[in-house]
Amino acid sequence: QVQLAESGGGLVQAGGSLRLSCAASGIIFRAYRMGWYRQAPGKQRELVALSPNIGVPNYADSVKGRFTLSRDNAKNTVYLQMNSLKPEDTAVYYCNVRIGTFDHWGQGTQVTVSS
């Protein structure tokens, strides 16, 4: 059974930083692309960053240069370091892995950036 557990969200002032973590279980972690998505109130869920199992991550234009995705295959964990946070980054952040045609999601972690 695939399980994804996010942590690290919270309330931060604009310009601050947070580090999100997503611990995965039930999969051969190193074999899969891992992603971070976010959903703000009243908006659709959007891609933030993707980490391929091999290669460099890619990012949404809105977070390039501010967010960094990394993964530790030994710990089955993917991270999202978020710097220079803006109020528009406020959202619930979700970890994702696609296996075949099925998307697995964590429960999400709230990030709130105050101005």
Side-chain angles (χ1 to χ4, degrees), residues 1 4 19 22 24 36 39-40 42 60 71 85 88-89 102-103:
Q1 182 180 0
L4 302 173
R19 188 194 195 203
C22 171
W36 284 99
Q39 188 166 17
R71 58 191 296 163
L85 283 161
E88 52 263 44
D89 294 318
F102 192 82
D103 282 310

Side-chain angles (χ1 to χ4, degrees), residues 62-97:
S62 58
V63 307
K64 281 181 182 176
R66 300 188 298 121
F67 290 11
T68 302
L69 186 154
S70 60
R71 58 191 296 163
D72 185 335
N73 288 340
K75 295 183 178 180
N76 286 6
T77 300
V78 61
Y79 304 96
L80 187 68
Q81 177 67 44
M82 306 186 295
N83 299 328
S84 302
L85 283 161
K86 304 176 181 180
E88 52 263 44
D89 294 318
T90 295
V92 178
Y93 285 70
Y94 297 91
C95 183
N96 167 272
V97 62

Side-chain angles (χ1 to χ4, degrees), residues 25-36:
S25 59
I27 61 172
I28 302 174
F29 181 80
R30 65 182 183 276
Y32 293 100
R33 185 182 69 180
M34 301 297 299
W36 284 99

